[in-house]
Amino acid sequence: MLRMRSAFCAILVVATSTAGTASSSSRSVLPLALTIPADRHRSACPAGAPESTVCETFSWTGVVRGLGRSVITVLERFDNSRVPGAFVDGDIRSSHGTLRLTGDNGNASGGRPVFEVRLAGEGVLSGVEGRGTLNDISAYGSGTVAILDASVAGPVQFDLEAPTVRVRKARATIAADKVAVRVVFTAADAAAPLTYELRRPGVPAPLARGTVRGGETVATGRFAGSPRVVTLVLSVTDANGNIATQRVSTRVSRSN
């Protein structure tokens, strides 16, 4: 816990991050714990698949920590007449390379499977490999969800270090039951660009969001209410999906 004073007012800053521990060797581990919104739909099966096979696909684009912006594409094949009765093939494509994903539902047959998956890197990620599970926790159609719980390791250094963030100033003023907040901060990380969000705890909609600038960045926002103290959550994310978070509390003063 760090107490800071400024010309604006006293602020309290508590910092947390998703940073990992740096490895001293040339081999590092990348955990993959992803909840994937999956708009699953029927698709054509690969050539040679038995007539009894039903195929479904889904894809998702988002940020995977350690890989950055990625596209995940998965093909699932179901055949209840066989054991194992379900198979999966797919990949995770990013600017850092591709992870191929294959697996089946072990000795089970029928129902929504938990796939036992193997992952292997291609291109820049050649030599990276790992295992885990892919769990379909909801049924066919839109709004479904899949959970990937795995890890890979190999002769590369995955970036799991969060940005360095320092809050310089914070101010909150009130007028006509509207609170205006202003947070000045700096952030640095080798994996640019950096983006930020400023929120109130427990409120999904951000007060402000944008791209971190060189030097100081100013985040401003407004909300209704008349609190004596305002608590804000500032999150900064690098291009590889690592997040640094600071909670800032400041007293509210009357606007002149």
Side-chain angles (χ1 to χ4, degrees):
M1 189 175 293
L2 172 66
R3 293 185 182 275
M4 303 177 60
R5 296 183 180 273
S6 73
F8 286 94
C9 56
I11 63 175
L12 176 66
V13 179
V14 179
T16 60
S17 76
T18 59
T21 301
S23 171
S24 59
S25 69
S26 60
R27 185 179 179 88
S28 64
V29 177
L30 175 65
L32 294 168
L34 304 173
T35 300
I36 307 168
D39 187 0
R40 185 181 288 104
H41 57 275
R42 293 285 179 91
S43 65
C45 290
E51 291 185 2
S52 56
T53 302
V54 174
C55 295
E56 300 175 1
T57 63
F58 67 83
S59 63
W60 173 79
T61 300
V63 176
V64 177
R65 185 181 173 219
L67 296 177
R69 190 165 182 80
S70 304
V71 178
I72 298 177
T73 304
V74 172
L75 169 67
E76 297 176 348
R77 294 172 286 138
F78 301 94
D79 186 351
N80 290 337
S81 67
R82 303 173 61 189
V83 176
F87 302 84
V88 63
D89 297 280
D91 53 47
I92 304 173
R93 297 182 179 273
S94 74
S95 60
H96 297 288
T98 298
L99 288 171
R100 288 285 304 158
L101 181 152
T102 58
D104 58 49
N105 66 332
N107 295 322
S109 62
R112 283 284 142 189
V114 176
F115 294 102
E116 299 172 3
V117 297
R118 299 167 296 281
L119 299 103
E122 298 178 351
V124 178
L125 297 180
S126 180
V128 173
E129 58 185 5
R131 291 179 176 271
T133 59
L134 179 67
N135 185 5
D136 289 347
I137 65 171
S138 51
Y140 171 83
S142 62
T144 62
V145 174
I147 295 178
L148 176 63
D149 184 8
S151 66
V152 295
V156 298
Q157 284 296 312
F158 295 107
D159 173 22
L160 300 178
E161 295 296 327
T164 300
V165 180
R166 291 184 174 86
V167 174
R168 301 296 189 185
K169 303 170 185 176
R171 184 181 186 183
T173 59
I174 188 170
D177 292 329
K178 293 285 186 179
V179 178
V181 295
R182 184 175 189 269
V183 176
V184 181
F185 67 95
T186 62
D189 192 277
L194 307 181
T195 58
Y196 73 87
E197 285 192 347
L198 184 66
R199 299 176 180 269
R200 288 190 295 155
V203 180
L207 294 170
R209 62 178 10 147
T211 301
V212 174
R213 302 179 182 276
E216 292 185 339
T217 299
V218 180
T220 61
R222 295 171 62 89
F223 64 91
S226 54
R228 293 184 177 182
V229 176
V230 170
T231 298
L232 304 168
V233 178
L234 174 67
S235 299
V236 177
T237 306
D238 70 13
N240 289 329
N242 300 301
I243 304 173
T245 301
Q246 290 200 355
R247 183 180 290 254
V248 182
S249 294
T250 183
R251 290 187 176 89
V252 179
S253 60
R254 287 286 171 184
S255 179
N256 295 328

